[in-house]
Amino acid sequence: MIIIKSQPEIDKIAAACRIVAEILESLKSYVKVGMTTADVEAYAEKRIRQRKAIPAFKGYRGYPASACTSVNDQVVHGIPSRLVKLKSGDVISVDLGVILDGFYGDGAITIPVGDVDAGAQRLMQVTEESLYAGIKSAVVGNRVSDISNAVQRHVEAQGFSVVRAFVGHGIGHSLHEDPQVPNFGKPGQGQRLKHGMTLAIEPMVNAGTPDVEILEDGWTAVTADGKLSAHFEHTIAVTKNGPVILTKI
Ligand code: MF3
Ligand code: CO
């Protein structure tokens, strides 16, 4: 069942999302060569708590941190670690969720570390573009899979692949609500989009094949072929005036 939100509820989700957006934006300049992913976690958690918000991921199904920090061939759910040091040429996907006043916001970006090569830059750019292609399709009257199809078409036209094993989702009163929002699929399927739906759209895009494996930590998803992956995510509201991106500063 998809929960439709009232405007006051959307405003509360937007307030949570703003915190996510501000922290992700400041991480773009904070992340530097030589840092560890534990440093990124410490910064993110401190900033979340400064805003009197709660990290949504910590403790979620036993996840041990406030941020997911996925480096290079790590797709999503990379666990921050003092042993993972960032070097020039790496890309790090940072995924953050917060709870404010009982409402959830969720967003992610992939950040280049030092000098990254043209292939990695193109992967990040195409992934972010595919997110915006999906958002553009999130209009009243379309169906959920119109978002999915727009993401997939953009990615595949550029020669990359979309991950199937993880999907976007409804969000608001909890981190994961209906519907699931895959990043692939035929258009015109699934529920019709309505004013007041709030969705987290989150393409994960691989340079090689779409296949992923989970490491022994039970969380970290890596590409099966060892090639790079990127991840961008926004929480949006579907409105009669078009999609509104809530995780934007
Ligand atoms: N954005 C991801 C999601 O919606 C992050 C979840 S991390 C978890 O699934 F730890 F909370 F699972
Ligand atoms: Co999400």
Side-chain angles (χ1 to χ4, degrees):
M1 202 231 359
I2 302 179
I3 305 169
I4 300 292
K5 279 80 177 185
S6 65
Q7 190 57 49
E9 289 171 327
I10 292 174
D11 292 345
K12 287 187 173 183
I13 296 166
C17 286
R18 192 175 172 87
I19 295 171
V20 170
E22 285 175 8
I23 299 172
L24 290 176
E25 182 61 34
S26 52
L27 276 168
K28 289 183 192 170
S29 51
Y30 181 77
V31 167
K32 287 189 194 68
V33 173
M35 259 177 200
T36 70
T37 54
D39 296 325
V40 174
E41 160 72 12
Y43 177 83
E45 176 157 18
K46 187 182 79 189
R47 293 280 310 264
I48 293 170
R49 305 247 186 232
Q50 274 173 353
R51 298 291 300 270
K52 307 278 183 243
I54 299 166
F57 298 167
K58 204 170 203 172
Y60 180 85
R61 297 179 182 236
Y63 186 74
S66 298
C68 299
T69 54
S70 308
V71 179
N72 295 339
D73 64 322
Q74 297 181 349
V75 177
V76 284
H77 304 163
I79 299 174
S81 165
R82 280 181 305 167
L83 304 177
V84 179
K85 196 178 252 192
L86 299 173
K87 55 189 193 305
S88 185
D90 285 348
V91 299
I92 176 174
S93 300
V94 182
D95 192 344
L96 287 181
V98 312
I99 313 168
L100 186 72
D101 203 7
F103 288 84
Y104 285 72
D106 188 6
I109 56 172
T110 302
I111 302 168
V113 182
D115 298 313
V116 306
D117 68 31
Q121 281 180 33
R122 205 168 69 81
L123 178 68
M124 289 187 286
Q125 186 185 329
V126 167
T127 307
E128 189 167 21
E129 285 169 0
S130 76
L131 169 57
Y132 284 95
I135 292 170
K136 243 186 174 169
S137 301
V139 295
V140 170
N142 266 2
R143 292 182 186 271
V144 172
S145 85
D146 293 317
I147 300 171
S148 313
N149 183 256
V151 171
Q152 181 178 23
R153 275 190 298 125
H154 185 78
V155 168
E156 292 182 353
Q158 302 301 318
F160 297 132
S161 67
V162 290
V163 170
R164 272 61 167 173
F166 302 98
V167 296
H169 48 94
I171 181 169
H173 300 283
S174 50
L175 180 60
H176 295 139
E177 297 178 357
D178 286 343
Q180 292 198 354
V181 186
N183 297 299
F184 61 95
K186 284 188 247 169
Q189 301 190 326
Q191 298 231 37
R192 239 180 238 291
L193 299 175
K194 293 206 178 81
H195 178 88
M197 289 183 180
T198 44
L199 306 173
I201 304 175
E202 50 178 321
M204 291 139 271
V205 175
N206 291 354
T209 72
D211 304 317
V212 305
E213 288 166 9
I214 308 294
L215 299 186
E216 298 85 90
D217 62 21
W219 281 101
T220 312
V222 298
T223 58
D225 62 10
K227 294 188 180 173
L228 285 190
S229 188
H231 179 209
F232 284 83
E233 175 177 25
H234 275 310
T235 296
I236 67 148
V238 177
T239 81
K240 51 183 181 292
N241 300 319
V244 178
I245 301 176
L246 305 177
T247 35
K248 202 162 193 173
I249 36 176

